[in-house]
Amino acid sequence: MGYSRAVRIDNLIEVSGTVAMENGEIIGKGNALEQTKYILGKIQKALEKAGATLKDVIRTRIYVTDISKWEEVGSAHGEFFGDIGPATSMVEVRALIHPDCLVEIEARAVVGEG
């Protein structure tokens, strides 16, 4: 597709929409909590590769295919960001890139901004 997982320009890092898929396989099929945890771990690794940490995240956008799973998704988000508290949105969408993907998350980080 010609995209990057994360792009850094100066102190700004944008992490692309990330789903729980690895080598074409869905991680946590049918489980929004497991998918969210996997996605946030993947985002964490992308941030680290770009020279940031989760503490640098100022915004997340969460897309879910079933908003009734908001508590599961929110619980996982809280495990990663509870003390950080980035601005966030959770929006229900009709579909994601694969029918077994239940969650997709984007993140924005600013490095060196207290």
Side-chain angles (χ1 to χ4, degrees):
M1 275 181 34
Y3 81 103
S4 298
R5 169 70 44 223
V7 174
R8 180 174 180 164
I9 299 174
D10 297 324
N11 66 339
L12 177 67
I13 300 169
E14 293 282 349
V15 181
S16 295
T18 304
V19 296
M21 185 182 293
E22 204 62 49
N23 299 318
E25 298 293 320
I26 301 300
I27 308 300
K29 186 174 178 180
N31 187 322
L33 176 66
E34 189 176 333
Q35 286 192 17
T36 304
K37 287 181 180 182
Y38 182 83
I39 292 164
L40 292 172
K42 198 170 176 180
I43 288 172
Q44 183 174 23
K45 289 176 188 167
L47 289 166
E48 289 169 358
K49 191 173 180 181
T53 70
L54 290 177
K55 291 180 181 180
D56 297 308
V57 173
I58 63 166
R59 177 100 167 93
T60 58
R61 287 183 183 85
I62 305 167
Y63 305 96
V64 296
T65 58
D66 182 354
I67 200 70
S68 74
K69 304 292 185 191
W70 74 268
E71 289 182 272
E72 293 172 45
V73 175
S75 172
H77 189 273
E79 285 183 36
F80 284 79
F81 291 110
D83 293 334
I84 300 165
T88 193
S89 302
M90 187 182 304
V91 179
E92 183 178 62
V93 295
R94 189 173 62 92
L96 295 170
I97 196 160
H98 186 283
D100 291 328
C101 290
L102 305 175
V103 181
E104 182 170 331
I105 303 174
E106 301 174 345
R108 174 177 292 151
V110 179
V111 180
E113 301 288 321

